[in-house]
Amino acid sequence: MELYSAWSGRVGASAYIPSEKVQQLFNDLQLYPSKLEVVEMLRCAQQRAQRTEPAFLTYEEFSLFAKELKRAAKGISWTSPLSLDRDGEDTKRSRTRRRTSTRSPQVFLGGSCNPTTWRQDVAIPLLQDLDITFYNPQVSDWAPELIEKEHFAKTNAEVLFFVIDNQTRNTASTVEVAFYSGLRKQKLVLVVHPYQSSGAKIAGEEILDDEWRDLISSQRVMQLLAERQGMPFFSNIRNAIDGIDKVLREKVPAQELQSGKKGLTQINESGVLEKEAKENVPVNFDQFSASVVDPKSNQESEHFLYNDTLGRNISSSRPLKSSSSNQQPSFDVCLCGDEVAVPLLKKHGLKYVIPPSKQTDWTKQMLQSNVTIADRSRVLLFIITDSSRALAELCLAAYYIGLDYKVVLYVGLLSEKSIINGKTLSNIAIKEYNRGRMYLRDLAVRQGVDVLDSVSAAVEVAARKCIKTSAAR
């Protein structure tokens, strides 16, 4: 945690450090790169992330460079920062290294980690028997600097296999599944073991009712998001790996596994999802409401959104995007998370909507309502503070980023001073919940999403985006 402590001391909860502070941050760790080396790091990070300017480093980029500097300080040969390059095309050296290295793993083993042993006990032996290569991200003590290494493995794997167990909090895994469900660039296969009941323990800690509700809500939202995009679900690892084998060898599309095609049995085995799939109930907005405020009229009321008013085929699972909609947006900002931003939104004169999200009984209808509101908003503003776990909101933010909605983020980190529902959090819980938040911030930066270091700055950026999109129409 030395790297993270230094980072927090220099830039707080920010997701990036500006170029002018980079050398000072390295000096805080007693690392002394030359100005030329810092410039090279910034340039390399710019090229790898396809940014327009070498203006900053993310935490993960900084961590990687810091580790290389420490290796050099111990007399181990320095690895050129160009090893970060996305396509390996900048130098002959990097191209040669790629040709001589082993091929990328076929399967990334994502999902629940310690104390679960599903990888070593079940998945890895099965994959080895099938001669399928894999990347195992599970380590005894996770650290933020591992995000970069895991990202490379996920980006290059043919199949992303996630097991979401009920023995861990799964904060990062649910964010990742939601993001890749929206992105739809890679094959995603899932096994989900639902949380059972409160009173059980995770990492040796008894989980109280309010935390169980948040965990169940997060897992439920993740399931619905993945199922909405046709991602296949299995109830056990063996059946899932049989499906992965068909995807890799027979080139069966992962989405076809869901329907039982190609000889596989129906795998939509999560009880609630299966029930909803059979009912196939169309969305009706008569019972759905959201708090809408139009500062121009200075009134707040419950607005009911109806199917015919929205003029859309709500039953369709086609991703809806405000950027491609021919209809005029109904709202400037869709505010998700902490409502602390409300006074600032009113100050900017923005018409905003707050979709309901604080419940555990998420359904397809509820999710479709949320997506439709997002589709009718110019900007999605997520304000994640330390006053709540905000697990469902983290999943929704990741999903919308994957779908390329206009998203603006403020994601604060939890600390020992954080109090949620009148209770302080254990050090283990703080680390787990911050892990999910760091994953969200990292993927947001990689996707070019604005991640701000204060609520006021986030609202300011959201307001500018609203003005820009309004002028464009």
Side-chain angles (χ1 to χ4, degrees):
M1 298 298 288
E2 178 190 16
L3 296 179
Y4 181 67
S5 297
W7 177 276
S8 299
R10 183 62 65 176
V11 295
S14 176
Y16 58 85
I17 183 168
S19 57
E20 63 270 15
K21 292 185 178 181
V22 170
Q23 191 149 20
Q24 298 170 352
L25 181 55
F26 282 124
N27 293 167
D28 292 343
L29 294 164
Q30 270 123 61
L31 298 172
Y32 302 97
S34 67
K35 289 184 178 180
L36 184 61
E37 287 173 328
V38 172
V39 169
E40 176 70 1
M41 293 177 194
L42 290 162
R43 185 195 69 80
C44 166
Q46 173 201 2
Q47 290 183 343
R48 183 199 161 281
Q50 298 181 347
R51 295 194 280 265
T52 56
E53 296 181 359
F56 63 88
L57 292 180
T58 67
Y59 176 79
E60 291 68 40
E61 292 163 351
F62 156 73
S63 299
L64 192 61
F65 287 123
K67 290 173 69 174
E68 291 298 335
L69 287 171
K70 286 184 177 183
R71 284 166 54 86
K74 293 178 181 179
I76 303 172
S77 61
W78 164 268
T79 300
S80 168
L82 288 175
S83 62
L84 276 174
D85 290 342
R86 183 185 298 269
D87 298 317
E89 296 178 351
D90 289 330
T91 66
K92 181 178 179 180
R93 175 182 171 186
S94 63
R95 288 196 298 269
T96 302
R97 183 167 59 249
R98 283 185 184 272
R99 284 198 298 266
T100 57
S101 63
T102 58
R103 62 192 175 100
S104 299
Q106 294 169 287
V107 179
F108 178 86
L109 297 175
S112 305
C113 286
N114 302 318
T116 65
T117 58
W118 63 268
R119 292 175 177 85
Q120 294 295 338
D121 293 349
V122 185
I124 290 177
L126 290 172
L127 291 170
Q128 289 174 333
D129 287 345
L130 294 169
D131 197 27
I132 296 174
T133 61
F134 57 87
Y135 176 86
N136 179 11
Q138 187 168 8
V139 295
S140 58
D141 187 23
W142 184 87
E145 49 265 32
L146 292 173
I147 292 178
E148 180 67 37
K149 187 175 182 180
E150 294 174 13
H151 173 75
F152 179 84
K154 281 183 289 220
T155 301
N156 289 278
E158 294 183 56
V159 175
L160 304 178
F161 178 40
F162 278 79
V163 175
I164 308 299
D165 206 283
N166 53 23
Q167 299 178 48
T168 71
R169 290 180 171 91
N170 295 304
T171 55
S173 300
T174 51
V175 167
E176 291 179 285
V177 169
F179 170 68
Y180 285 110
S181 296
L183 197 64
R184 297 195 71 176
K185 288 185 178 179
Q186 288 173 283
K187 303 176 182 71
L188 181 64
V189 176
L190 300 162
V191 170
V192 178
H193 298 148
Y195 291 109
Q196 300 302 316
S197 60
S198 61
K201 292 184 177 182
I202 290 180
E205 299 180 339
E206 184 175 346
I207 305 301
L208 301 179
D209 287 347
D210 67 303
E211 185 171 6
W212 271 114
R213 286 193 293 271
D214 285 347
L215 292 171
I216 291 170
S217 177
S218 172
Q219 190 182 78
R220 178 72 176 133
V221 169
M222 177 215 69
Q223 286 180 295
L224 287 169
L225 292 172
E227 192 252 1
R228 173 182 171 81
Q229 300 290 22
M231 303 304 171
F233 283 84
F234 290 85
S235 62
N236 65 76
I237 295 171
R238 182 177 294 276
N239 286 348
I241 290 179
D242 285 344
I244 290 172
D245 187 46
K246 289 183 178 291
V247 169
L248 294 173
R249 299 188 194 282
E250 301 177 21
K251 306 304 179 184
V252 176
Q255 283 80 1
E256 289 193 12
L257 300 179
Q258 186 81 14
S259 62
K261 296 177 182 179
K262 305 297 182 182
L264 287 181
T265 57
Q266 176 70 26
I267 62 171
N268 191 5
E269 296 164 322
S270 175
V272 180
L273 289 180
E274 184 176 17
K275 180 175 182 291
E276 289 187 354
K278 289 179 179 178
E279 291 176 353
N280 194 25
V281 178
V283 175
N284 186 335
F285 282 84
D286 291 356
Q287 301 302 320
F288 174 72
S289 65
S291 179
V292 181
V293 177
D294 187 350
K296 294 178 181 179
S297 63
N298 197 30
Q299 293 181 348
E300 179 174 354
S301 61
E302 292 294 309
H303 283 241
F304 292 87
L305 307 182
Y306 294 96
N307 195 353
D308 57 348
T309 301
L310 293 172
R312 292 192 177 278
N313 179 10
I314 302 303
S315 298
S316 171
S317 62
R318 179 181 62 84
L320 305 174
K321 295 173 60 175
S322 57
S323 59
S324 62
S325 174
N326 293 323
Q327 292 186 333
Q328 186 73 10
S330 299
F331 319 108
D332 292 317
V333 174
C334 174
L335 175 61
C336 303
D338 199 317
E339 296 180 18
V340 68
V342 166
L344 295 170
L345 291 171
K346 290 182 178 179
K347 182 179 178 181
H348 282 277
L350 297 172
K351 184 178 180 181
Y352 64 89
V353 57
I354 304 174
S357 61
K358 295 178 175 60
Q359 64 271 319
T360 57
D361 56 341
W362 279 83
T363 63
K364 283 185 178 181
Q365 178 176 342
M366 198 69 219
L367 180 63
Q368 181 61 68
S369 302
N370 192 292
V371 172
T372 302
I373 287 181
D375 186 52
R376 298 304 307 275
S377 303
R378 299 184 193 278
V379 176
L380 310 186
L381 176 60
F382 283 85
I383 302 296
I384 311 298
T385 67
D386 66 350
S387 64
S388 69
R389 298 180 186 89
L391 303 182
E393 286 80 3
L394 293 176
C395 288
L396 288 168
Y399 179 71
Y400 289 128
I401 290 171
L403 286 176
D404 198 27
Y405 278 65
K406 291 182 176 65
V407 175
V408 176
L409 283 178
Y410 167 75
V411 183
L413 296 180
L414 300 170
S415 69
E416 294 178 356
K417 298 179 181 179
S418 300
I419 298 177
I420 296 177
N421 295 330
K423 306 180 186 70
T424 57
L425 304 179
S426 69
N427 289 333
I428 294 175
I430 290 171
K431 183 177 180 179
E432 280 298 301
Y433 290 128
N434 278 343
R435 183 179 180 183
R437 293 175 182 224
M438 283 188 264
Y439 267 86
L440 177 61
R441 296 199 315 193
D442 175 72
L443 69 86
V445 171
R446 293 181 191 278
Q447 296 299 115
V449 170
D450 290 297
V451 181
L452 288 306
D453 57 6
S454 71
V455 175
S456 59
V459 174
E460 184 71 34
V461 169
R464 288 202 302 267
K465 286 182 178 292
C466 287
I467 294 172
K468 184 177 180 180
T469 55
S470 178
R473 289 179 181 270

